[in-house]
Amino acid sequence: MTDVRNAGLIAKVKRRGGRGDRSALGTWFWDIDRMLLLLTLFLIAIGLIAVAAASPASAVRYSGEHHKIAPLYYFWRQLMWVGVSLPVLFGVSMLPVATARRFALIGAALFAVMLAATPFVGVEVNGARRWLGVSFAQFQPSEFLKPLFIVAVAWVLSLKSKEQELPTVLITGGMTAMVGGMLMLQPDFGQTIIFCTVWMALLMIAGTPTRVLVGLVAMVPAGLVAAYMFYGVARRRIDAFLFPGVDGEGAGDHFQTNAAHSTLTAGGWTGTGPGGGTAKFGLPEAHTDYIFSVIGEEFGLIACSIIALVFLAIVVRVFVKLLDEQDEFKLLAASGLAVQFGAQALVSMAVNTGLAPSKGMTLPFISYGGSSMIALSIGMGLLLAFTRRNPFLTRSPYVVKWGS
């Protein structure tokens, strides 16, 4: 009897962690896109190294006569945020599709209400009200709203296949316009562009008629002109980008982009080495908005190119995986999350290289920030949940592959 029990226990242990393991953790491990998860963890690890490199510069900048910040203060805090974010990422990625969708819809409604209240009761930092809370418990509602809003828009667009008469373009357009209006009150022009870009991408992926897409694209120049004429933040940043030699409101933004470009190229192809950078001490937000420039100075342009390729690999990986996706909601939700992730990375890197006006956009999983790290973990967790595949569910039990 003892031998039988031992044999059963040994067989159970052997199955644990193998393809036959049907526990919740085992099922998740074999169904998840492990390459996508590995690339994400790689970015988080790079982020910790980058924040450690940028932390001394930001500590010096924000230290005062009576208040000294330790050189690695921001690194230790980022390490804490990573410790909080990883369980969130893994936990969300384990959710069934229906549960993940419900979680996103409820969360989108909740954070939309918070976003609406932010311009009126939010904490003002550098002339913008983007944060709620007090002291160390401050958070940015727009960061959390991004992935949840994308899933909500994808759900509405997916309803078109069941209700042909449903005006999904108008509904999602109204949702995007309301969010954009609330963001511009803060003001946050960069986030507004991200929300609108993802909405347009989802319309294209959903198969919206060409005439509608052409009409929306034709409205973009008119929108930019209107923003320039009536929205001071946009006008200041566009002026600083197009007319760098002009003094005035845009001089500060021009200084930031110049400092970022100088820092990015200061290390050449291979960099000055960890801790060897000096140009980073002239950056206004070395640990957040301009961390890509710090990476360029201390680790070189080759390292920057590798990071850009990792972001590209994540987006391409998602779209390749979705080529044979039959569920329209999963297709739209995962595509939208991938577009948001890639667009945010592209804008952040473009600002650091001087190819776009200053927008205050963090680099996903690399820039310092608790709100950003947790929100990105929720978004990537949802993306992993919507791209989970069990190859045995669609495999016919009557087909046998013979081979050696």
Side-chain angles (χ1 to χ4, degrees), residues 96-120:
V97 173
T99 306
R101 180 175 58 227
R102 192 177 304 113
F103 162 76
L105 294 176
I106 295 172
L110 178 64
F111 282 104
V113 172
M114 294 183 185
L115 184 66
T118 302
F120 308 101

Side-chain angles (χ1 to χ4, degrees), residues 51 73-74 77-78 81 287-288 291 362 366-370 372:
V51 171
Y73 171 79
Y74 294 104
R77 284 184 64 87
Q78 185 72 349
W81 288 123
H287 61 314
T288 55
I291 198 166
T362 57
I366 294 181
S367 293
Y368 169 85
S372 177

Side-chain angles (χ1 to χ4, degrees), residues 90-163:
F90 290 125
V92 174
S93 70
M94 292 180 181
L95 296 176
V97 173
T99 306
R101 180 175 58 227
R102 192 177 304 113
F103 162 76
L105 294 176
I106 295 172
L110 178 64
F111 282 104
V113 172
M114 294 183 185
L115 184 66
T118 302
F120 308 101
V121 299
V123 179
E124 184 174 342
V125 179
N126 295 330
R129 292 184 181 272
R130 301 175 186 173
W131 292 265
L132 291 178
V134 293
S135 186
F136 67 91
Q138 293 180 15
F139 66 97
Q140 197 170 347
S142 60
E143 290 287 351
F144 290 91
L145 181 60
K146 263 188 302 189
L148 305 174
F149 178 81
I150 290 167
V151 175
V153 171
W155 174 69
V156 174
L157 290 174
S158 69
L159 297 177
K160 186 73 171 179
S161 59
K162 301 176 182 177
E163 298 289 342

Side-chain angles (χ1 to χ4, degrees), residues 115 142 178-189 191-192 195 231:
L115 184 66
S142 60
M178 285 193 296
V179 170
M182 290 185 288
L183 286 169
M184 293 178 78
L185 286 175
Q186 295 184 357
D188 196 341
F189 191 52
Q191 295 283 26
T192 305
F195 275 89
Y231 191 53

